[in-house]
Amino acid sequence: MPLLKRGVPVEISHIENLSYPKTLDGVKVLLMTYSNMKPLDPEAHTYLAQWIKKGGHLIYCATDADPFQTVSEWWNTGDKHYAAPSDHLFAQMGIEAGAVEGTYRYGKGDVRILRHDPKEFVMQEGGDSLLLEAVKDAYGPIEEKNHFVLDRDAYKLVAVVDEGVSDAPYRLEGCFIDLYDADLPVYTELSVQPGTQRFLYDVSKAPKAPAILAAASRAYDIQKGKRSFSYVCKSPVETVNVTRILLPSKPVKVLVNGIAGDFAWDEGSHTCLLRHDNQPDGVTVEIEW
């Protein structure tokens, strides 16, 4: 959470997947804890040690003092006599059991041990400073911001976090369809406030007209003429279909099952907003311009 609240993207690597060689491909810094949750087997530590030796940076955050350390498990039964599973991991790299807080080199990488329960980093304001210092030491400079923006072709997802580095909204200019709004409105300017998200369609990246850009249905039998466009759409009964269609120019005729349809034209985006009742057997839409 301290990283996410500063607009730093993070991802999860499952310890159970470490036997798969590519699990840690591209991972430079790994945050890890055994507070409450414990490893199912010792093999994962072999893979972690190999990754660190090749240049990985592990930040281990735990006091190793919770009661689950002492349950009868693989690290303290048979030929293993470790007080905590982390001691078994550290032993793979020549680090003494119960190692104190500090940085320990191993091969081309290192282990940074923080003797703090992870919850301490979020229990009070500024409590995450030690963790952030460790991350920056291992990774290098990071860009702190209060938002995330993800683009996939014409789709844009924007999320602005609360409790972030600022309370400023994220502002956009262009031509966007708001996909989180059932009315599919078009905006040329948007301000995304902290604690909110917007899922948008960037009309400037749309395919060549005519084309359906967003709809509450699935379209079949799409036909394109020089001055016409038609399709059959199917969706559950007793629901309303709202469709935004990119067209070369304003329609002169819109028919829904042969009857004049209810539509609105937006000149700025060159899109037609069409509403009609859905039918699972299909509704035929015919447009001319």
mmCIF file of all heavy atoms in Angstrom, residues 1-2 31-37 60-68 114-131:
data_model
loop_
_atom_site.group_PDB
_atom_site.id
_atom_site.type_symbol
_atom_site.label_atom_id
_atom_site.label_comp_id
_atom_site.label_asym_id
_atom_site.label_seq_id
_atom_site.Cartn_x
_atom_site.Cartn_y
_atom_site.Cartn_z
ATOM 1 N N MET A 1 0.797 -1.218 0.000
ATOM 2 C CA MET A 1 0.000 0.000 0.000
ATOM 3 C C MET A 1 0.834 1.275 0.000
ATOM 4 O O MET A 1 0.464 2.238 -0.674
ATOM 5 C CB MET A 1 -0.962 -0.012 1.198
ATOM 6 C CG MET A 1 -2.047 -1.080 1.117
ATOM 7 S SD MET A 1 -3.012 -1.019 -0.413
ATOM 8 C CE MET A 1 -3.777 0.582 -0.281
ATOM 9 N N PRO A 2 1.953 1.370 0.741
ATOM 10 C CA PRO A 2 2.751 2.600 0.669
ATOM 11 C C PRO A 2 3.200 2.924 -0.750
ATOM 12 O O PRO A 2 3.277 4.098 -1.120
ATOM 13 C CB PRO A 2 3.948 2.291 1.582
ATOM 14 C CG PRO A 2 3.412 1.320 2.581
ATOM 15 C CD PRO A 2 2.475 0.445 1.791
ATOM 16 N N LEU A 31 9.459 -7.628 -2.320
ATOM 17 C CA LEU A 31 9.075 -7.412 -0.932
ATOM 18 C C LEU A 31 8.476 -8.711 -0.398
ATOM 19 O O LEU A 31 7.636 -9.319 -1.054
ATOM 20 C CB LEU A 31 8.039 -6.296 -0.818
ATOM 21 C CG LEU A 31 8.399 -4.938 -1.420
ATOM 22 C CD1 LEU A 31 7.296 -3.933 -1.168
ATOM 23 C CD2 LEU A 31 9.716 -4.433 -0.853
ATOM 24 N N MET A 32 8.865 -9.093 0.804
ATOM 25 C CA MET A 32 8.461 -10.400 1.312
ATOM 26 C C MET A 32 8.290 -10.350 2.821
ATOM 27 O O MET A 32 8.982 -9.599 3.515
ATOM 28 C CB MET A 32 9.535 -11.425 0.927
ATOM 29 C CG MET A 32 9.323 -12.821 1.422
ATOM 30 S SD MET A 32 10.703 -13.851 0.832
ATOM 31 C CE MET A 32 10.480 -15.286 1.864
ATOM 32 N N THR A 33 7.336 -11.141 3.341
ATOM 33 C CA THR A 33 7.157 -11.263 4.776
ATOM 34 C C THR A 33 6.660 -12.654 5.120
ATOM 35 O O THR A 33 5.995 -13.302 4.295
ATOM 36 C CB THR A 33 6.158 -10.223 5.312
ATOM 37 O OG1 THR A 33 6.118 -10.309 6.735
ATOM 38 C CG2 THR A 33 4.762 -10.464 4.760
ATOM 39 N N TYR A 34 7.003 -13.111 6.322
ATOM 40 C CA TYR A 34 6.427 -14.333 6.857
ATOM 41 C C TYR A 34 5.597 -14.023 8.101
ATOM 42 O O TYR A 34 5.416 -14.872 8.960
ATOM 43 C CB TYR A 34 7.522 -15.360 7.188
ATOM 44 C CG TYR A 34 8.085 -16.068 5.967
ATOM 45 C CD1 TYR A 34 9.354 -16.627 5.989
ATOM 46 C CD2 TYR A 34 7.345 -16.172 4.801
ATOM 47 C CE1 TYR A 34 9.877 -17.276 4.878
ATOM 48 C CE2 TYR A 34 7.853 -16.815 3.678
ATOM 49 C CZ TYR A 34 9.114 -17.364 3.722
ATOM 50 O OH TYR A 34 9.616 -18.007 2.613
ATOM 51 N N SER A 35 5.114 -12.795 8.198
ATOM 52 C CA SER A 35 4.210 -12.442 9.281
ATOM 53 C C SER A 35 2.880 -13.145 9.045
ATOM 54 O O SER A 35 2.191 -12.860 8.059
ATOM 55 C CB SER A 35 4.004 -10.928 9.346
ATOM 56 O OG SER A 35 5.179 -10.287 9.762
ATOM 57 N N ASN A 36 2.545 -14.077 9.907
ATOM 58 C CA ASN A 36 1.316 -14.880 9.853
ATOM 59 C C ASN A 36 1.361 -15.952 8.767
ATOM 60 O O ASN A 36 1.257 -17.132 9.071
ATOM 61 C CB ASN A 36 0.076 -13.998 9.681
ATOM 62 C CG ASN A 36 -0.109 -13.061 10.848
ATOM 63 O OD1 ASN A 36 0.106 -13.451 11.986
ATOM 64 N ND2 ASN A 36 -0.482 -11.825 10.583
ATOM 65 N N MET A 37 1.514 -15.603 7.501
ATOM 66 C CA MET A 37 1.569 -16.619 6.446
ATOM 67 C C MET A 37 2.985 -17.196 6.336
ATOM 68 O O MET A 37 3.966 -16.477 6.457
ATOM 69 C CB MET A 37 1.120 -16.033 5.116
ATOM 70 C CG MET A 37 -0.307 -15.535 5.134
ATOM 71 S SD MET A 37 -0.935 -15.075 3.500
ATOM 72 C CE MET A 37 -1.104 -16.690 2.755
ATOM 73 N N TYR A 60 13.043 -8.139 3.233
ATOM 74 C CA TYR A 60 12.288 -9.021 4.116
ATOM 75 C C TYR A 60 11.814 -8.232 5.329
ATOM 76 O O TYR A 60 12.615 -7.697 6.098
ATOM 77 C CB TYR A 60 13.154 -10.204 4.570
ATOM 78 C CG TYR A 60 12.417 -11.169 5.471
ATOM 79 C CD1 TYR A 60 11.539 -12.098 4.951
ATOM 80 C CD2 TYR A 60 12.595 -11.117 6.857
ATOM 81 C CE1 TYR A 60 10.848 -12.980 5.784
ATOM 82 C CE2 TYR A 60 11.910 -11.991 7.700
ATOM 83 C CZ TYR A 60 11.033 -12.918 7.152
ATOM 84 O OH TYR A 60 10.349 -13.783 7.972
ATOM 85 N N CYS A 61 10.488 -8.145 5.491
ATOM 86 C CA CYS A 61 9.904 -7.360 6.576
ATOM 87 C C CYS A 61 9.156 -8.287 7.521
ATOM 88 O O CYS A 61 8.102 -8.826 7.170
ATOM 89 C CB CYS A 61 8.931 -6.319 6.027
ATOM 90 S SG CYS A 61 9.584 -5.283 4.709
ATOM 91 N N ALA A 62 9.654 -8.501 8.709
ATOM 92 C CA ALA A 62 8.978 -9.328 9.714
ATOM 93 C C ALA A 62 9.763 -9.317 11.020
ATOM 94 O O ALA A 62 10.993 -9.220 11.008
ATOM 95 C CB ALA A 62 8.824 -10.763 9.215
ATOM 96 N N THR A 63 9.029 -9.437 12.120
ATOM 97 C CA THR A 63 9.689 -9.594 13.419
ATOM 98 C C THR A 63 9.952 -11.066 13.713
ATOM 99 O O THR A 63 10.738 -11.391 14.593
ATOM 100 C CB THR A 63 8.809 -9.016 14.535
ATOM 101 O OG1 THR A 63 7.551 -9.715 14.555
ATOM 102 C CG2 THR A 63 8.554 -7.524 14.305
ATOM 103 N N ASP A 64 9.284 -11.952 12.976
ATOM 104 C CA ASP A 64 9.365 -13.405 13.205
ATOM 105 C C ASP A 64 9.019 -13.753 14.635
ATOM 106 O O ASP A 64 9.613 -14.647 15.248
ATOM 107 C CB ASP A 64 10.760 -13.943 12.852
ATOM 108 C CG ASP A 64 10.997 -13.968 11.347
ATOM 109 O OD1 ASP A 64 10.004 -13.978 10.593
ATOM 110 O OD2 ASP A 64 12.170 -13.961 10.930
ATOM 111 N N ALA A 65 8.039 -13.031 15.195
ATOM 112 C CA ALA A 65 7.665 -13.247 16.593
ATOM 113 C C ALA A 65 6.215 -13.696 16.746
ATOM 114 O O ALA A 65 5.761 -13.911 17.870
ATOM 115 C CB ALA A 65 7.882 -11.963 17.390
ATOM 116 N N ASP A 66 5.477 -13.852 15.644
ATOM 117 C CA ASP A 66 4.081 -14.258 15.777
ATOM 118 C C ASP A 66 4.004 -15.737 16.184
ATOM 119 O O ASP A 66 4.928 -16.515 15.947
ATOM 120 C CB ASP A 66 3.322 -14.011 14.466
ATOM 121 C CG ASP A 66 3.844 -14.835 13.309
ATOM 122 O OD1 ASP A 66 3.424 -16.000 13.183
ATOM 123 O OD2 ASP A 66 4.690 -14.322 12.551
ATOM 124 N N PRO A 67 2.903 -16.161 16.810
ATOM 125 C CA PRO A 67 2.812 -17.524 17.347
ATOM 126 C C PRO A 67 2.878 -18.627 16.294
ATOM 127 O O PRO A 67 3.191 -19.774 16.638
ATOM 128 C CB PRO A 67 1.457 -17.526 18.079
ATOM 129 C CG PRO A 67 0.698 -16.365 17.526
ATOM 130 C CD PRO A 67 1.715 -15.345 17.152
ATOM 131 N N PHE A 68 2.602 -18.297 15.047
ATOM 132 C CA PHE A 68 2.617 -19.338 14.010
ATOM 133 C C PHE A 68 4.033 -19.784 13.648
ATOM 134 O O PHE A 68 4.212 -20.752 12.918
ATOM 135 C CB PHE A 68 1.890 -18.827 12.759
ATOM 136 C CG PHE A 68 0.437 -18.541 12.994
ATOM 137 C CD1 PHE A 68 -0.013 -17.228 13.107
ATOM 138 C CD2 PHE A 68 -0.479 -19.567 13.138
ATOM 139 C CE1 PHE A 68 -1.350 -16.956 13.329
ATOM 140 C CE2 PHE A 68 -1.826 -19.297 13.361
ATOM 141 C CZ PHE A 68 -2.264 -17.986 13.463
ATOM 142 N N LEU A 114 14.203 -5.902 7.494
ATOM 143 C CA LEU A 114 13.551 -4.881 8.306
ATOM 144 C C LEU A 114 12.786 -5.606 9.406
ATOM 145 O O LEU A 114 11.828 -6.333 9.127
ATOM 146 C CB LEU A 114 12.591 -4.033 7.458
ATOM 147 C CG LEU A 114 13.189 -3.287 6.260
ATOM 148 C CD1 LEU A 114 12.111 -2.503 5.530
ATOM 149 C CD2 LEU A 114 14.315 -2.366 6.702
ATOM 150 N N ARG A 115 13.204 -5.446 10.627
ATOM 151 C CA ARG A 115 12.562 -6.141 11.740
ATOM 152 C C ARG A 115 11.318 -5.378 12.213
ATOM 153 O O ARG A 115 11.246 -4.891 13.337
ATOM 154 C CB ARG A 115 13.560 -6.347 12.873
ATOM 155 C CG ARG A 115 14.617 -7.405 12.575
ATOM 156 C CD ARG A 115 13.972 -8.744 12.245
ATOM 157 N NE ARG A 115 14.963 -9.823 12.046
ATOM 158 C CZ ARG A 115 14.643 -11.023 11.624
ATOM 159 N NH1 ARG A 115 13.379 -11.319 11.328
ATOM 160 N NH2 ARG A 115 15.579 -11.936 11.465
ATOM 161 N N HIS A 116 10.360 -5.297 11.301
ATOM 162 C CA HIS A 116 9.088 -4.633 11.567
ATOM 163 C C HIS A 116 7.970 -5.480 10.973
ATOM 164 O O HIS A 116 8.115 -6.044 9.896
ATOM 165 C CB HIS A 116 9.046 -3.240 10.928
ATOM 166 C CG HIS A 116 10.019 -2.269 11.518
ATOM 167 N ND1 HIS A 116 9.692 -1.387 12.518
ATOM 168 C CD2 HIS A 116 11.343 -2.068 11.255
ATOM 169 C CE1 HIS A 116 10.755 -0.667 12.840
ATOM 170 N NE2 HIS A 116 11.771 -1.058 12.087
ATOM 171 N N ASP A 117 6.859 -5.561 11.685
ATOM 172 C CA ASP A 117 5.674 -6.190 11.116
ATOM 173 C C ASP A 117 5.150 -5.268 10.018
ATOM 174 O O ASP A 117 5.050 -4.049 10.230
ATOM 175 C CB ASP A 117 4.614 -6.380 12.209
ATOM 176 C CG ASP A 117 3.467 -7.261 11.750
ATOM 177 O OD1 ASP A 117 2.817 -6.903 10.747
ATOM 178 O OD2 ASP A 117 3.219 -8.289 12.393
ATOM 179 N N PRO A 118 4.802 -5.792 8.841
ATOM 180 C CA PRO A 118 4.361 -4.931 7.738
ATOM 181 C C PRO A 118 3.223 -3.989 8.098
ATOM 182 O O PRO A 118 3.134 -2.885 7.544
ATOM 183 C CB PRO A 118 3.937 -5.945 6.668
ATOM 184 C CG PRO A 118 4.773 -7.137 6.931
ATOM 185 C CD PRO A 118 4.912 -7.196 8.424
ATOM 186 N N LYS A 119 2.347 -4.398 9.020
ATOM 187 C CA LYS A 119 1.221 -3.526 9.363
ATOM 188 C C LYS A 119 1.693 -2.217 9.975
ATOM 189 O O LYS A 119 0.976 -1.202 9.918
ATOM 190 C CB LYS A 119 0.269 -4.235 10.309
ATOM 191 C CG LYS A 119 0.815 -4.512 11.700
ATOM 192 C CD LYS A 119 -0.180 -5.277 12.553
ATOM 193 C CE LYS A 119 0.379 -5.559 13.942
ATOM 194 N NZ LYS A 119 -0.558 -6.381 14.744
ATOM 195 N N GLU A 120 2.900 -2.199 10.537
ATOM 196 C CA GLU A 120 3.415 -0.980 11.145
ATOM 197 C C GLU A 120 3.600 0.130 10.117
ATOM 198 O O GLU A 120 3.565 1.317 10.460
ATOM 199 C CB GLU A 120 4.744 -1.262 11.840
ATOM 200 C CG GLU A 120 4.667 -2.238 13.002
ATOM 201 C CD GLU A 120 6.037 -2.564 13.583
ATOM 202 O OE1 GLU A 120 6.955 -1.722 13.439
ATOM 203 O OE2 GLU A 120 6.196 -3.651 14.161
ATOM 204 N N PHE A 121 3.798 -0.249 8.857
ATOM 205 C CA PHE A 121 4.052 0.756 7.824
ATOM 206 C C PHE A 121 2.806 1.564 7.476
ATOM 207 O O PHE A 121 2.912 2.624 6.854
ATOM 208 C CB PHE A 121 4.587 0.088 6.557
ATOM 209 C CG PHE A 121 5.890 -0.646 6.766
ATOM 210 C CD1 PHE A 121 6.073 -1.925 6.259
ATOM 211 C CD2 PHE A 121 6.925 -0.067 7.471
ATOM 212 C CE1 PHE A 121 7.272 -2.600 6.443
ATOM 213 C CE2 PHE A 121 8.121 -0.733 7.670
ATOM 214 C CZ PHE A 121 8.284 -2.008 7.151
ATOM 215 N N VAL A 122 1.614 1.055 7.840
ATOM 216 C CA VAL A 122 0.380 1.746 7.448
ATOM 217 C C VAL A 122 -0.483 2.132 8.644
ATOM 218 O O VAL A 122 -1.578 2.658 8.467
ATOM 219 C CB VAL A 122 -0.449 0.876 6.480
ATOM 220 C CG1 VAL A 122 0.302 0.662 5.180
ATOM 221 C CG2 VAL A 122 -0.818 -0.471 7.108
ATOM 222 N N MET A 123 -0.007 1.889 9.853
ATOM 223 C CA MET A 123 -0.817 2.180 11.037
ATOM 224 C C MET A 123 -0.830 3.654 11.399
ATOM 225 O O MET A 123 -1.741 4.137 12.051
ATOM 226 C CB MET A 123 -0.314 1.366 12.231
ATOM 227 C CG MET A 123 -0.502 -0.140 12.073
ATOM 228 S SD MET A 123 -2.239 -0.631 11.996
ATOM 229 C CE MET A 123 -2.730 -0.414 13.699
ATOM 230 N N GLN A 124 0.208 4.385 10.978
ATOM 231 C CA GLN A 124 0.229 5.814 11.277
ATOM 232 C C GLN A 124 0.908 6.568 10.135
ATOM 233 O O GLN A 124 1.704 6.003 9.381
ATOM 234 C CB GLN A 124 0.966 6.083 12.587
ATOM 235 C CG GLN A 124 2.419 5.642 12.607
ATOM 236 C CD GLN A 124 3.062 5.873 13.961
ATOM 237 O OE1 GLN A 124 2.361 6.123 14.951
ATOM 238 N NE2 GLN A 124 4.374 5.806 14.016
ATOM 239 N N GLU A 125 0.562 7.827 10.008
ATOM 240 C CA GLU A 125 1.101 8.666 8.937
ATOM 241 C C GLU A 125 2.626 8.759 9.050
ATOM 242 O O GLU A 125 3.166 8.998 10.136
ATOM 243 C CB GLU A 125 0.486 10.052 9.006
ATOM 244 C CG GLU A 125 0.875 10.939 7.838
ATOM 245 C CD GLU A 125 0.159 12.269 7.868
ATOM 246 O OE1 GLU A 125 -0.730 12.444 8.733
ATOM 247 O OE2 GLU A 125 0.480 13.127 7.017
ATOM 248 N N GLY A 126 3.300 8.522 7.946
ATOM 249 C CA GLY A 126 4.751 8.577 7.929
ATOM 250 C C GLY A 126 5.420 7.303 8.392
ATOM 251 O O GLY A 126 6.650 7.208 8.393
ATOM 252 N N GLY A 127 4.618 6.288 8.761
ATOM 253 C CA GLY A 127 5.189 5.049 9.243
ATOM 254 C C GLY A 127 5.853 4.205 8.174
ATOM 255 O O GLY A 127 6.531 3.225 8.471
ATOM 256 N N ASP A 128 5.674 4.604 6.929
ATOM 257 C CA ASP A 128 6.229 3.821 5.821
ATOM 258 C C ASP A 128 7.586 4.341 5.347
ATOM 259 O O ASP A 128 8.134 3.854 4.360
ATOM 260 C CB ASP A 128 5.264 3.808 4.641
ATOM 261 C CG ASP A 128 4.884 5.222 4.190
ATOM 262 O OD1 ASP A 128 5.443 6.191 4.722
ATOM 263 O OD2 ASP A 128 4.014 5.339 3.303
ATOM 264 N N SER A 129 8.155 5.319 6.029
ATOM 265 C CA SER A 129 9.396 5.948 5.554
ATOM 266 C C SER A 129 10.548 4.945 5.470
ATOM 267 O O SER A 129 11.352 4.989 4.530
ATOM 268 C CB SER A 129 9.779 7.121 6.461
ATOM 269 O OG SER A 129 9.935 6.686 7.806
ATOM 270 N N LEU A 130 10.632 4.026 6.432
ATOM 271 C CA LEU A 130 11.712 3.048 6.422
ATOM 272 C C LEU A 130 11.585 2.102 5.227
ATOM 273 O O LEU A 130 12.576 1.796 4.558
ATOM 274 C CB LEU A 130 11.713 2.244 7.724
ATOM 275 C CG LEU A 130 12.822 1.201 7.874
ATOM 276 C CD1 LEU A 130 14.195 1.866 7.875
ATOM 277 C CD2 LEU A 130 12.630 0.394 9.166
ATOM 278 N N LEU A 131 10.366 1.668 4.946
ATOM 279 C CA LEU A 131 10.149 0.780 3.808
ATOM 280 C C LEU A 131 10.472 1.484 2.495
ATOM 281 O O LEU A 131 11.138 0.925 1.616
ATOM 282 C CB LEU A 131 8.703 0.289 3.794
ATOM 283 C CG LEU A 131 8.323 -0.592 2.597
ATOM 284 C CD1 LEU A 131 9.093 -1.904 2.621
ATOM 285 C CD2 LEU A 131 6.820 -0.853 2.579
#
